[in-house]
Amino acid sequence: MTVHMRDWDAFVTPAADGAVHMDLAVEGITCAACMGEIERGLTQLPGVLRARVNLTSHRLAVEWDAAQTPADLIVETLDRMGYRAHPFDPAAQRAREDRTGRELMRAIGVAGFASMNIMLMSVSVWSGNVTDITDETRDLFHWVSAMIALPAVAYAIRPFLRSAIAAIRGRRMNMDVPICIGVSLAVGLSVIQTLQSQHHAYFESATMLLFFLLVGRYLDHNMRGRTRSLAENLAALKAEVAARIAPDGSVREVPLSRIEPGDRVLVTAGERIPVDGVIDQGSSEIDQSLITGETALVAAGPGTRVYAGTLNAGGVLEVRVSTASGATLLDEVNRLLEAAGQAKSRYVVLADRAAAMYSPVVHAAALLTFLGWTLAGLGWQPSLIIGISVLIITCPCALGLAIPAVQVVASGLMFRAGVLIHSGDAIERLAAADTIVFDKTGTLTLARPELLEPYAAGDADLALAGRLALSSRHPLALALARATDATHPLPGVIETTGAGVEALHEGQLVRLGSPAFCGAPEHRVADVLSRHGDASLLALRIGEGPARLIPMRQSLRPDAGPVIRDLAARGYRIEILSGDRPGAVEAAAAALGIRDWRAGMTPADKIARLDALKAEGANVLMVGDGLNDAPALAGAQVSMSPVTAVHLSQAAADAVFMGDALAPVADALKIARRARAAMMQNLWISVVYNLIAVPIAVAGFVTPLVAAAAMSGSSLIVTANALRLRMGSGKPHEPR
Amino acid sequence: MEVLLFLIPVALGLGALGLVGFLWSLKSGQYDDLEGARWRILDDDDVARPDGEASR
């Protein structure tokens, strides 16, 4: 499909001054030089107002005057410079601006400003308290601090307050509840102390606490944002577009969001079908491996139902887009997905579990301190001050950083290993996994088929077949052409849809295609298939000679064997659940030394098997790519899918891994286990810190100076411990 | 000590200036692409060449 056929109006959004705006994901940006080259090249075009490359997210934002320059000129210019650009579907792309990130940054700025200026006052008061500060000066300093702290805290606490209120409404406990209580009490107590002209106030503790916690929150947010924007790029690179046939017969490429039921869509040979629908015209063979896991091609003609994500192997198809009828595979998958997704939401993240244990203990300790000092005859007000100071010093500053800091470092390590994590708590769930369930097709194997018997350089017949194969878009033909390194196509090739290709070569008719097309006897086909249950067959016939069968199959990922053995040696229980034929699954399982395998599984069967494993007490990591895996991916405790997976599966999985190797799966598990260890260490550091700090607070010795030193000290220790993860043993593989 | 009444507002004013500067830089999108920003400073396309020629 050429760019000229694209309906550009669907991809642009209006910008200021009558110009139009388009966001593109650009392939091939590797360094700063590319950035300058693209921006220079585009701004030289007439009418281009602004071209800006974002090197972090590999995106390009262009604004131009649509009257002067057509959009395809921009894409063509990029193409000429060697960058393939894919426009984002404006409907599918999230808001152009990252609102939450900016809100957190503003809050960090405000809290940072407040804590630094209040510290200016506080240091003066602290040093004045031991020398000769007058009461008036101290009061003035405390009042100025209050004037800064009150609005700053009211502004910067909002992200925590929202989450705390949501948690209390849902009758849950999370870390934000004690944070809000601690900060509010610290500020409230300080105002009372100031009113009473006391020697101490805790304004700097409250603002500094918020500053540290906001930094932790921002890091966490940034990690998710980075994964999300790269995932959106991948979706755009996979060109989630469809060629819609207009009523007048013209064809234009539009984003999927603009396709409506009843539209007709053109699918050329070798393309993925972008929509669910019914074939209107044309016949072909469909590769459904992404949907069912079944590797054999299925014949399709007018009236056949086709699903988004399947590959059109043979002829040109016109597909009428249908709505969900409630009885198709996709509907079943969607139903199962809804049910399965709830299993995951039941998981309580480590931080919240820690908070659930931590808050009752701390709040009880504060109450007992208050009651104890009152009974000891100190009077209710000084007792209350000591009780609140217990809360201030135990406020979960370290706890709030303990887990996000580790998650950020771990997700960075995973990113380098070629794994994109969708959520921070997936790391915890990955660490807990003890059983790994693999899908076969597309997960353990690569999506493209390869020759069963390697191509020998002197094999002239096969070389001829390779040249003939160049003229077909059929996946098996493409694979044969690649395997034989064919470069010169034969002239005058005729393709018979769903059968094969033929051409005259040196006076002889050469045919390449299905065994029937080449007249191969059935007993020989059955014989080859009985030896290689998982093979797909191509046949070659030169002149009137006997047909030669060329068995092909999807090969295992290059490092699948060592990775599986390594995982097994590390004590993981490994299983294969596949929708493919038993013969194909058995061969793969035997090659990898996996004893537990099940073939011909439907999506519901896979869920049932996962439930059985869960009932045995296993923590399952599901790795799969097909539409038929999506419910299982959502239902397993944790899941991963390769970057080649269908959109629905990628969305259901917790992590996506890149490249042809299976090693990222093993690396992710390793990193997750080390990250979990670091999280536990950090939680223990917080516990130890509290064991030291609480007695001091209960005894009534907590001055604001002690509180400030203790808080920042514990925050720095847990952050440093998280960074230690980076230095740990074994650097993960570089991606690809 | 009366000098404090004069110095505190000055200190706070300077701090507030920094805050306003930060919020402005945030609003104008200077933190959107931290990876690219460190390279853009090396790019001197915006400087007119003294000899008026296109390339070194």
Side-chain angles (χ1 to χ4, degrees):
Chain A
M1 186 131 314
T2 65
V3 285
H4 296 286
M5 290 164 69
R6 208 169 253 174
D7 183 6
W8 289 103
D9 293 342
F11 289 99
V12 299
T13 49
D17 306 329
V20 287
H21 179 105
M22 182 161 70
D23 287 303
L24 301 118
V26 185
E27 260 181 294
I29 296 186
T30 48
C31 62
C34 309
M35 182 172 77
E37 192 187 353
I38 290 175
E39 290 179 359
R40 269 195 300 279
L42 285 185
T43 39
Q44 276 163 14
L45 292 177
V48 173
L49 306 173
R50 206 177 77 97
R52 199 160 171 97
V53 172
N54 187 322
L55 200 59
T56 317
S57 61
H58 290 194
R59 287 187 191 179
L60 166 70
V62 206
E63 264 164 40
W64 76 98
D65 182 0
Q68 288 187 52
T69 305
D72 36 4
L73 184 66
I74 288 173
V75 176
E76 257 174 50
T77 311
L78 285 169
D79 211 37
R80 239 197 340 269
M81 289 191 282
Y83 303 99
R84 277 182 59 203
H86 306 265
F88 280 103
D89 176 356
Q93 193 196 4
R94 311 277 155 90
R96 212 178 288 160
E97 279 170 27
D98 170 19
R99 250 167 229 222
T100 322
R102 292 214 169 167
E103 192 202 339
L104 284 173
M105 276 283 238
R106 279 198 299 270
I108 290 176
V110 169
F113 161 79
S115 63
M116 278 188 279
N117 282 287
I118 294 172
M119 197 53 97
L120 186 79
M121 308 281 154
S122 299
V123 172
S124 320
V125 172
W126 295 340
S127 38
N129 275 345
V130 291
T131 50
D132 58 348
I133 194 169
T134 61
D135 286 350
E136 292 77 27
T137 316
R138 184 168 51 231
D139 279 356
L140 171 71
F141 278 25
H142 278 168
W143 275 117
V144 173
S145 303
M147 289 305 116
I148 303 169
L150 285 173
V153 167
Y155 182 80
I157 205 173
R158 289 179 310 158
F160 303 100
L161 204 56
R162 270 201 300 271
S163 142
I165 290 171
I168 290 171
R169 278 215 184 117
R171 299 184 173 279
R172 287 177 293 115
M173 175 54 83
N174 67 11
M175 206 44 94
D176 295 333
V177 178
I179 287 172
C180 290
I181 295 177
V183 171
S184 313
L185 283 178
V187 175
L189 175 67
S190 305
V191 171
I192 294 170
Q193 304 258 60
T194 306
L195 282 171
Q196 296 176 339
S197 300
Q198 303 254 7
H199 281 219
H200 298 307
Y202 297 89
F203 292 115
E204 75 293 315
S205 298
T207 48
M208 200 162 65
L209 183 66
L210 277 178
F211 178 72
F212 277 121
L213 290 169
L214 282 165
V215 169
R217 198 59 49 105
Y218 180 74
L219 289 177
D220 183 48
H221 170 82
N222 226 9
M223 171 196 95
R224 284 159 210 248
R226 187 173 176 145
T227 304
R228 195 175 47 231
S229 74
L230 284 166
E232 279 178 9
N233 282 9
L234 288 172
L237 295 181
K238 280 176 150 184
E240 307 233 320
V241 293
R244 181 171 62 193
I245 308 172
D248 63 2
S250 67
V251 178
R252 297 227 140 192
E253 206 171 69
V254 296
L256 277 186
S257 60
R258 297 289 179 98
I259 296 280
E260 279 169 17
D263 282 351
R264 290 196 311 148
V265 167
L266 186 77
V267 187
T268 52
E271 238 182 32
R272 287 213 180 274
I273 298 174
V275 293
D276 293 329
V278 178
I279 296 180
D280 221 24
Q281 271 183 43
S283 61
S284 171
E285 283 181 302
I286 309 276
D287 173 0
Q288 295 197 328
S289 60
L290 261 185
I291 307 300
T292 60
E294 166 80 57
T295 45
L297 299 176
V298 182
T304 311
R305 250 188 169 279
V306 290
Y307 304 105
T310 52
L311 185 74
N312 174 16
V316 177
L317 295 178
E318 285 181 30
V319 178
R320 185 170 295 279
V321 183
S322 62
T323 44
S325 66
T328 64
L329 175 73
L330 189 70
D331 299 322
E332 194 202 335
V333 164
N334 275 331
R335 244 191 329 271
L336 287 169
L337 256 181
E338 248 166 57
Q342 287 164 5
K344 209 168 276 176
S345 60
R346 261 181 258 134
Y347 180 85
V348 183
V349 297
L350 202 52
D352 289 352
R353 270 185 287 166
M357 285 191 283
Y358 165 94
S359 340
V361 173
V362 165
H363 291 155
L367 185 66
L368 287 178
T369 308
F370 167 64
L371 292 177
W373 279 108
T374 317
L375 289 179
L378 192 66
W380 73 270
Q381 209 196 350
S383 307
L384 186 63
I385 290 172
I386 296 175
I388 291 176
S389 70
V390 171
L391 280 183
I392 294 174
I393 197 142
T394 54
C395 199
C397 193
L399 226 46
L401 276 173
I403 290 175
V406 176
Q407 282 176 347
V408 168
V409 176
S411 76
L413 287 177
M414 292 212 185
F415 184 76
R416 269 198 282 161
V419 179
L420 298 178
I421 285 268
H422 283 321
S423 68
D425 56 301
I427 296 172
E428 295 167 28
R429 287 184 276 119
L430 263 178
D434 52 22
T435 304
I436 310 175
V437 173
F438 285 100
D439 169 47
K440 182 186 76 76
T441 315
T443 306
L444 287 174
T445 65
L446 289 170
R448 54 169 191 266
E450 281 182 10
L451 287 181
L452 203 60
E453 291 141 15
Y455 167 63
D459 194 338
D461 288 357
L462 211 53
L464 185 64
R467 289 177 63 193
L468 189 54
L470 275 177
S471 307
S472 171
R473 299 288 307 267
H474 195 284
L476 289 179
L478 287 176
L480 180 63
R482 191 169 36 234
T484 55
D485 294 324
T487 46
H488 298 79
L490 291 180
V493 174
I494 301 163
E495 179 153 16
T496 313
T497 301
V501 284
E502 57 189 338
L504 271 177
H505 179 67
E506 292 171 359
Q508 283 185 311
L509 184 69
V510 185
R511 285 186 149 194
L512 177 74
S514 66
F517 180 67
C518 298
E522 279 191 21
H523 67 270
R524 282 192 48 214
V525 174
D527 180 45
V528 173
L529 282 182
S530 70
R531 271 183 289 131
H532 309 288
D534 53 342
S536 307
L537 290 183
L538 265 183
L540 171 72
R541 189 175 192 183
I542 301 173
E544 290 304 306
R548 171 177 174 180
L549 292 176
I550 309 170
M552 305 181 84
R553 72 166 167 214
Q554 290 178 321
S555 60
L556 292 169
R557 286 180 185 263
D559 61 343
V563 168
I564 297 284
R565 271 193 297 281
D566 173 43
L567 287 172
R570 274 158 53 197
Y572 288 102
R573 177 175 161 192
I574 296 170
E575 260 189 53
I576 299 180
L577 297 184
S578 175
D580 206 355
R581 294 158 289 161
V585 183
E586 188 179 8
L592 295 172
I594 299 174
R595 274 191 303 275
D596 292 322
W597 56 268
R598 286 170 168 74
M601 303 285 275
T602 64
D605 290 343
K606 291 195 179 191
I607 289 270
R609 178 61 194 149
L610 288 187
D611 285 342
L613 283 170
K614 274 189 217 168
E616 290 171 29
N619 263 319
V620 185
L621 162 65
M622 171 83 204
V623 190
D625 74 323
L627 189 61
N628 61 335
D629 298 313
L633 290 168
Q637 271 95 344
V638 58
S639 50
M640 295 177 76
S641 68
V643 72
T644 48
V646 292
H647 189 71
L648 197 60
S649 297
Q650 275 189 22
D654 292 305
V656 172
F657 66 94
M658 322 240 228
D660 278 353
L662 198 61
V665 175
D667 288 339
L669 286 165
K670 258 184 231 161
I671 294 168
R673 290 212 159 173
R674 283 177 46 217
R676 191 183 156 89
M679 285 179 197
M680 293 311 290
Q681 284 162 9
N682 273 356
L683 291 178
W684 280 113
I685 289 172
S686 306
V687 168
V688 170
Y689 153 79
N690 276 339
L691 285 180
I692 298 168
V694 168
I696 300 174
V698 171
F701 292 133
V702 172
T703 60
L705 179 62
V706 172
M711 274 179 197
S712 36
S714 63
S715 300
L716 289 179
I717 291 173
V718 294
T719 311
N721 189 44
L723 288 173
R724 210 172 49 89
L725 201 59
R726 224 178 256 202
M727 298 176 234
S729 59
K731 202 172 161 280
H733 304 255
E734 291 295 317
R736 246 167 302 170
Chain B
M1 277 302 174
E2 286 74 28
V3 71
L4 282 178
L5 297 175
F6 169 70
L7 283 178
I8 291 175
V10 169
L12 290 184
L14 287 173
L17 209 64
L19 179 63
V20 169
F22 173 75
L23 293 180
W24 168 78
S25 66
L26 184 65
K27 201 175 159 92
S28 60
Q30 298 190 24
Y31 297 90
D32 288 353
D33 179 19
L34 297 175
E35 198 76 19
R38 67 172 184 216
W39 297 104
R40 280 182 198 279
I41 193 166
L42 300 175
D43 182 29
D44 28 79
D45 269 11
D46 47 346
V47 182
R49 292 182 195 284
D51 53 1
E53 274 180 32
S55 60
R56 69 227 92 215

